[in-house]
Amino acid sequence: ELMTGYTMLRNGGVGNGGQPWVLRWSSRIRLTWLSFTLFIILVFFPLIAHYYLTTIDDADDAGKRIFGPRTGNELCEVKHVQDLCRIRESVSEELLQLEAKRQELNSEIAKLNLKIEACKKSIENAKQDLLQLKNVISQTEHSYKELMAQNQPKLSLPIRLLPDKDDATFPLPKSNRNCRLHNCFDYSRCPLTSGFPVYVYNSDDYPFGSSLDPLIKQAFEATVRTNVYVTENANIACVYIILVGEMQEPVMPKPTELEQQLHSLPYWRTDGHNHLIISLSRKSETQNFIYNISTGRAMIAQSTFYDVQYRPGFDIVVSPLVHAMSEPNFLEIPPQVPVKRKYLFSFQGEKIESLRSSLQEVRSFEEEIEGNAPADYDDRIITTLKAVQDSKLDFVLVEFTCKNQPKASLPTEWALCGERDDRLELLKLSTFALIITPGDTRLVISAGCAMRLFEALEVGAIPVVLGEQVQLPYNDVIRWNEAALIIPKPRITEVHFLLRSISDNDLLAMRRQGRFLWETYFSTSDNVFSTVLAIIRTRIQIPAAPIREETAVEIPHRSGKAAGTDPNMADNGDLDLGPVETEPPYASPKYLRNFTLTAMDIYRNWNSAPGPFHLFPYTPFDPVLPSEAKFLGSGTGFRPIGGGAGGSGKEFQAALGGNVPREQFTVVMLTYEREEVLMNSLERLNGLPYLNKVVVVWNSPKLPSEDLLWPDIGVPIMVVRTEKNSLNNRFLPWDEIETEAILSIDDDAHLRHDEIMFGFRVWREARDRIVGFPGRYHAWDIPHQSWLYNSNYSCELSMVLTGAAFFHKYYAYLYSYVMPQAIRDMVDEYINCEDIAMNFLVSHLTRKPPIKVTSRWTFRCPGCPQALSHDDSHFHERHKCINFFVKVYGYMPLLYTQFRVDSVLFKTRLPHDKTKCFKFI
């Protein structure tokens, strides 16, 4: 429109409608002027008013000022305004302080961020280094395996005895008497690494099985089910076993029938090689019905042999199976002391037939005998023994005629008189028991002689065997001269003098060895069967199977609680106790003599009671140590030599040194529903040097609290769940224990680190002993004629409580699997005495007392809940335990000692009234 108006104005405003346009233009001019006027009024008028008001406030008369700020003092004259002012000032100051802190924190955050970045870089570098190290280790392990493979000799099966195992035309040996292992045993079925698998035929599958004595068959089957060597896979078996006796008279099969049944066994393979025929006898009159049977290359194990039948080194003379289905009652076995008894020696028997008549009845095998019949010394023996009895120099009892009907016997054999209980009562009163071998010297052993030997050993009468030609049970592996006297019959005139000349110490040693042999190889059906297998396994030089370890069932638990440091536990002064283990746990070196020991130390293992340097505990067929080689003490030839690295002074303190310079121990802690006490005890182990791990034996059926936070002490804590509440669980050989040294400790024991380390050092110098802190002793109660347990302070001791003691893991196997079950049952009955039982066991095996290490009088935990030992009946039960254990062992094995190991660094505080005891440093 403006453009249009401009055009019309330029044109002189002429045209249609020119006058209305002028009107419109003038109205617009007025509107613009009005807007401009309003703008002037709204903007400049407030400015002028502000200026005017400000000028009024600047007047000289302060009282007439209406506008403008007043001073602070004037405002604060009002009371509540003053409070507000103070608050404002305080808040202002706090804000200033917070601002300063904020700036300081920002500065620290910036520094920490820099450090975090640096740590991240370090972690990345460390990860790279670790990855490189892992690669290097992997390559090294691979190279090591390659080198070992190159250095490993090639292992192949032994040479086969027969060209074809199924060749039915292979000829039998010309004479069964010539059978030995080298020509009648197939070694190719028994490699060294086979584990000695044994297959046992089921006698019920064959006709002769119905003729077997039910008790013997039942006992044999029960033993087979639990034996570690028995396998159901006949194809991999090394030895095949068949039970053929003892047979019952009315239903006994004919020899030809039994021979046919044996030859029809599925794995007989024409000649019976690698087979063992067992005939066990429960009676003294057991027949030798295998004599007229062709057994080919099969081995025979029985109690009666003729010399034409017995093949030394191939056949086995076994002991009679008296306790077929029952365990021996240790309470009925007489003690081993006093050494000398009422009778110097005794003999009861009756000889039914003479030698001449017996020779006429055994002509079936006399054709194979070369030479004349031996002389009969029995008449001279009877005359000599009666003269000794009539001399009354010593009390002896000899009877050559039975008061009742004598037991059935073989020709020329002295028959047993009376019942078994009557014979045992006489032997309990006899120092020696005479055993006269059969007059026919071609009868090398009979069931009657074996029965006399069994009964004499059972009650502690030392056997005196007249007849050196006799083959006693297991004679090729047992040194019978350590437990019995074997005298030729021509020396009958010197027997009395010889028996009187033996000292009491030798008598006790022979009696103890006889008790050991009886318990180990004679007493039960399991012992007899296992001994037979062990003899064969030892002959062919196969190592024993590893004994089982107790599988630890772990209870899940939460760890992470930072363990505190008890100043009383960690304050060791200037002592350097050794390094706290920061590397993975170090297990004890493995045992490496499984194969060599089988060949080198046969007689020592079979004839000596076990210790930590013997492979076998009580029995060579119950190996204690895993065959992969574990846990034997030092001195076995495979330890690294320290070479004096221990140094002196501080160097001595910081290094274990000795023959085993690197070694750790495992803490085994038994507990029962005392969580707070347990946590405190575990925290006290924080920082303990040479600690491998802690095994907590949770003896309660109630599991630990789920919210229980276990301390982090720098080593693994394994919480093991037990099947029942038993103090015997303390000594179970848990598979989680990988060290030889075990520190058994109660959950309320309060020991310092320097005390524990000193005890560990002492144990390493006496690995076959119990080394501990609290000592106790036993005493003889004269009025009551019994043993007492005494905990009073004394300079003499015979026990060390296992509530704080070091011992070898070897003894855990013996305690749990070898020690008589009656002792463990006693511990469960009283919930007591497990520590006494362990002391009895170790002293019995080593014939050495324990070693007491002096502590700083802080053994018990102050303020802990009351323990079982505070009960009034505690000591009465321990009195009963000691007397019961003495009956089981047959004598008191504990030994007194005044020896005590102390450290000059301990500075032990002794009460003034107790300083008379000696300290051995």
Side-chain angles (χ1 to χ4, degrees):
E1 292 180 355
L2 291 175
M3 290 300 295
T4 304
Y6 173 76
T7 304
M8 292 179 66
L9 181 61
R10 189 181 58 181
N11 295 329
V14 182
N16 295 332
Q19 185 175 359
W21 177 86
V22 174
L23 294 175
R24 287 194 298 272
W25 176 253
S26 61
S27 61
R28 289 179 180 174
I29 292 174
R30 290 194 297 268
L31 181 60
T32 302
W33 175 253
L34 180 60
S35 300
F36 179 77
T37 303
L38 290 174
F39 176 77
I40 294 298
I41 293 171
L42 293 174
V43 172
F44 289 96
F45 180 77
L47 294 176
I48 295 171
H50 181 269
Y51 176 77
Y52 177 77
L53 293 174
T54 305
T55 304
I56 293 175
D57 287 337
D58 291 337
D60 295 334
D61 190 358
K64 295 181 179 180
R65 279 184 289 180
I66 302 172
F67 305 99
R70 295 180 180 269
T71 62
N73 293 332
E74 293 175 348
L75 294 176
C76 292
E77 290 177 356
V78 185
K79 184 177 181 179
H80 68 279
V81 176
Q82 293 178 352
D83 294 338
L84 294 176
C85 292
R86 285 194 297 269
I87 293 173
R88 184 187 65 179
E89 293 175 356
S90 175
V91 171
S92 299
E93 292 178 0
E94 291 180 358
L95 290 175
L96 293 175
Q97 293 176 359
L98 290 175
E99 178 64 20
K101 289 183 179 180
R102 186 183 68 83
Q103 294 178 359
E104 183 180 355
L105 291 175
N106 288 335
S107 176
E108 292 181 359
I109 290 173
K111 294 179 180 179
L112 292 175
N113 288 332
L114 294 176
K115 291 183 178 180
I116 290 174
E117 294 298 328
C119 291
K120 288 182 178 180
K121 293 181 180 179
S122 300
I123 291 174
E124 292 297 329
N125 295 333
K127 288 182 178 179
Q128 294 296 328
D129 295 340
L130 179 61
L131 182 60
Q132 294 178 2
L133 289 175
K134 288 183 178 179
N135 293 334
V136 172
I137 292 174
S138 177
Q139 295 175 1
T140 304
E141 290 179 348
H142 182 71
S143 302
Y144 175 76
K145 291 180 180 179
E146 289 182 349
L147 292 175
M148 290 297 296
Q150 296 175 2
N151 192 39
Q152 187 72 21
K154 184 179 179 181
L155 186 64
S156 57
L157 293 177
I159 300 175
R160 185 172 294 281
L161 174 68
L162 305 177
D164 188 351
K165 63 180 180 180
D166 297 323
D167 188 359
T169 61
F170 193 79
L172 294 174
K174 295 181 180 180
S175 174
N176 292 344
R177 293 189 60 189
N178 297 328
C179 256
R180 298 295 185 271
L181 289 176
H182 69 276
N183 62 353
C184 288
F185 189 85
D186 188 1
Y187 280 89
S188 65
R189 299 199 62 86
C190 309
L192 290 176
T193 58
S194 64
F196 190 60
V198 174
Y199 179 79
V200 180
Y201 291 99
N202 186 1
S203 301
D204 292 334
D205 296 340
Y206 305 96
F208 64 84
S210 58
S211 304
L212 295 177
D213 186 313
L215 285 178
I216 288 183
K217 183 168 66 173
Q218 185 178 357
F220 182 79
E221 292 174 352
T223 299
V224 167
R225 285 194 296 267
T226 59
N227 194 276
V228 296
Y229 298 107
V230 174
T231 179
E232 296 181 358
N233 187 357
N235 295 322
I236 65 171
C238 168
V239 175
Y240 301 84
I241 297 178
I242 182 67
L243 178 68
V244 299
E246 181 175 47
M247 290 192 176
Q248 297 174 311
E249 288 286 351
V251 291
M252 182 183 300
K254 296 180 180 179
T256 55
E257 296 176 354
L258 180 59
E259 180 177 326
Q260 293 176 357
Q261 295 175 25
L262 290 177
H263 291 182
S264 64
L265 293 175
Y267 304 99
W268 186 261
R269 298 188 180 95
T270 72
D271 62 353
H273 63 272
N274 289 46
H275 274 66
L276 173 66
I277 302 174
I278 296 182
S279 177
L280 300 176
S281 60
R282 196 166 58 89
K283 304 173 184 177
S284 61
E285 62 271 18
T286 300
Q287 340 56 356
N288 184 11
F289 59 89
I290 301 181
Y291 171 74
N292 293 319
I293 294 177
S294 175
T295 57
R297 288 187 169 93
M299 296 174 286
I300 299 174
Q302 62 180 10
S303 299
T304 302
F305 278 102
Y306 289 104
D307 59 352
V308 295
Q309 179 188 15
Y310 178 67
R311 298 163 292 185
F314 194 73
D315 294 326
I316 302 173
V317 179
V318 300
S319 61
L321 189 60
V322 177
H323 301 287
M325 291 301 296
S326 62
E327 296 288 335
N329 187 353
F330 291 99
L331 298 180
E332 297 180 357
I333 300 176
Q336 299 184 29
V337 290
V339 176
K340 294 183 177 179
R341 299 174 177 177
K342 178 180 179 180
Y343 299 111
L344 177 63
F345 62 83
S346 64
F347 177 81
Q348 285 182 326
E350 183 173 342
K351 192 172 182 180
I352 301 177
E353 300 185 34
S354 65
L355 174 63
R356 188 172 302 279
S357 61
S358 66
L359 288 177
Q360 295 175 356
E361 294 184 7
V362 294
R363 297 296 293 182
S364 58
F365 66 86
E366 192 181 36
E367 298 175 357
E368 303 181 22
I369 304 298
E370 297 180 1
N372 299 322
D376 187 2
Y377 292 98
D378 290 353
D379 293 339
R380 184 67 180 271
I381 291 174
I382 295 174
T383 303
T384 303
L385 294 181
K386 284 185 176 181
V388 173
Q389 185 179 25
D390 295 338
S391 67
K392 298 182 180 180
L393 293 176
D394 294 287
F395 285 105
V396 298
L397 191 151
V398 290
E399 296 179 352
F400 301 104
T401 303
C402 296
K403 299 178 181 178
N404 300 319
Q405 181 68 25
K407 303 293 182 180
S409 62
L410 296 175
T412 75
E413 182 185 20
W414 287 92
L416 293 172
C417 296
E419 299 299 327
R420 167 177 159 80
D421 292 340
D422 298 331
R423 297 194 299 270
L424 292 181
E425 290 300 322
L426 176 60
L427 292 174
K428 291 177 181 179
L429 302 175
S430 306
T431 305
F432 297 94
L434 295 186
I435 301 175
I436 305 176
T437 58
D440 185 359
T441 56
R442 289 165 292 188
L443 186 61
V444 295
I445 187 63
S446 65
C449 286
M451 184 66 70
R452 290 181 182 272
L453 178 66
F454 180 95
E455 293 176 351
L457 296 176
E458 181 178 6
V459 296
I462 300 173
V464 179
V465 182
L466 296 179
E468 78 285 359
Q469 80 285 354
V470 69
Q471 298 290 334
L472 297 180
Y474 322 125
N475 62 300
D476 54 344
V477 291
I478 292 180
R479 292 174 178 167
W480 280 107
N481 59 339
E482 297 179 356
L485 295 174
I486 303 176
I487 303 174
K489 287 186 176 180
R491 293 193 178 277
I492 184 60
T493 56
E494 302 171 309
V495 166
H496 187 201
F497 170 80
L498 177 61
L499 299 184
R500 293 188 64 180
S501 65
I502 301 177
S503 66
D504 289 354
N505 289 337
D506 292 337
L507 289 176
L508 185 59
M510 296 181 69
R511 183 173 294 163
R512 185 179 296 121
Q513 181 68 7
R515 173 73 175 270
F516 162 74
L517 296 177
W518 178 80
E519 289 182 357
T520 305
Y521 309 117
F522 291 74
S523 58
T524 64
S525 58
D526 181 70
N527 289 352
V528 172
F529 180 69
S530 298
T531 302
V532 171
L533 293 186
I535 290 177
I536 299 175
R537 178 185 54 75
T538 304
R539 286 174 177 175
I540 61 178
Q541 299 180 342
I542 294 182
I547 196 170
R548 68 181 180 90
E549 291 190 290
E550 202 69 23
T551 302
V553 180
E554 184 177 8
I555 299 177
H557 60 281
R558 292 190 303 155
S559 299
K561 175 184 176 184
T565 302
D566 188 343
N568 294 326
M569 296 294 101
D571 183 16
N572 302 309
D574 296 332
L575 294 180
D576 185 359
L577 301 182
V580 179
E581 302 298 339
T582 57
E583 59 185 27
Y586 174 73
S588 295
K590 305 297 183 181
Y591 181 69
L592 303 177
R593 296 190 63 211
N594 293 283
F595 293 96
T596 56
L597 191 68
T598 304
M600 295 172 56
D601 299 330
I602 294 177
Y603 281 101
R604 187 190 70 173
N605 295 322
W606 281 81
N607 296 275
S608 60
F613 310 126
H614 293 126
L615 179 62
F616 303 118
Y618 278 66
T619 56
F621 50 80
D622 271 337
V624 162
L625 305 179
S627 63
E628 294 304 325
K630 277 193 180 181
F631 311 124
L632 258 265
S634 62
T636 50
F638 63 88
R639 297 294 195 181
I641 302 300
S648 61
K650 185 176 181 180
E651 292 79 7
F652 171 78
Q653 298 173 10
L656 282 176
N659 295 327
V660 190
R662 187 185 183 193
E663 188 171 16
Q664 296 177 344
F665 62 90
T666 302
V667 168
V668 176
M669 186 177 295
L670 188 72
T671 186
Y672 186 89
E673 296 185 1
R674 298 199 294 182
E675 294 180 353
E676 183 179 358
V677 175
L678 174 63
M679 295 302 107
N680 293 335
S681 296
L682 291 176
E683 288 187 7
R684 286 194 291 270
L685 299 177
N686 184 34
L688 181 62
Y690 305 111
L691 180 58
N692 180 274
K693 71 173 59 171
V694 178
V695 177
V696 177
V697 182
W698 192 265
N699 223 22
S700 171
K702 180 182 177 182
L703 296 180
S705 303
E706 295 182 359
D707 58 348
L708 182 63
L709 193 60
W710 295 69
D712 183 4
I713 61 175
V715 298
I717 297 178
M718 172 71 65
V719 185
V720 178
R721 186 175 185 176
T722 58
E723 296 181 357
K724 64 176 182 178
N725 178 19
S726 172
L727 294 180
N728 292 315
N729 295 332
R730 180 194 297 272
F731 301 124
L732 285 174
W734 302 105
D735 56 359
E736 289 294 331
I737 301 176
E738 298 178 330
T739 60
E740 297 179 10
I742 296 177
L743 172 57
S744 174
I745 189 169
D746 289 339
D747 58 1
D748 59 354
H750 202 263
L751 289 173
R752 299 170 58 98
H753 286 187
D754 53 350
E755 294 172 339
I756 295 176
M757 290 313 305
F758 184 65
F760 182 47
R761 287 175 177 270
V762 173
W763 176 85
R764 296 177 75 254
E765 302 292 336
R767 309 173 74 90
D768 60 337
R769 315 271 282 273
I770 299 178
V771 177
F773 300 91
R776 301 290 186 267
Y777 67 97
H778 66 289
W780 180 251
D781 184 7
I782 297 178
H784 298 89
Q785 293 294 294
S786 62
W787 293 103
L788 295 177
Y789 171 84
N790 202 316
S791 63
N792 295 331
Y793 179 85
S794 173
C795 295
E796 198 166 48
L797 62 103
S798 59
M799 292 176 283
V800 166
L801 302 186
T802 55
F806 285 92
F807 63 90
H808 202 288
K809 186 181 179 183
Y810 187 85
Y811 294 124
Y813 293 101
L814 300 184
Y815 184 98
S816 302
Y817 304 138
V818 179
M819 187 179 69
Q821 181 63 37
I823 296 179
R824 293 190 292 272
D825 293 340
M826 185 79 166
V827 171
D828 287 336
E829 178 182 355
Y830 285 153
I831 317 180
N832 199 345
C833 306
E834 84 286 355
D835 47 359
I836 301 177
M838 176 59 82
N839 278 271
F840 265 70
L841 174 66
V842 177
S843 295
H844 170 64
L845 299 178
T846 63
R847 304 306 303 136
K848 298 177 182 179
I851 297 178
K852 173 178 170 54
V853 180
T854 303
S855 62
R856 291 188 176 181
W857 315 99
T858 61
F859 175 63
R860 284 298 173 187
C861 172
C864 291
Q866 192 173 24
L868 292 175
S869 58
H870 292 88
D871 192 353
D872 293 338
S873 62
H874 176 75
F875 287 95
H876 297 289
E877 293 172 350
R878 294 173 85 80
H879 298 330
K880 295 179 182 179
C881 287
I882 286 185
N883 288 280
F884 179 78
F885 296 165
V886 169
K887 291 182 180 179
V888 173
Y889 282 98
Y891 74 110
M892 169 54 76
L894 298 179
L895 299 173
Y896 293 109
T897 180
Q898 296 180 358
F899 183 81
R900 190 185 85 181
V901 181
D902 200 354
S903 172
V904 294
L905 302 177
F906 258 16
K907 303 176 183 177
T908 308
R909 299 166 297 177
L910 286 176
H912 63 87
D913 59 338
K914 299 177 180 179
T915 56
K916 58 185 178 182
C917 292
F918 291 100
K919 292 196 299 181
F920 297 87
I921 301 173

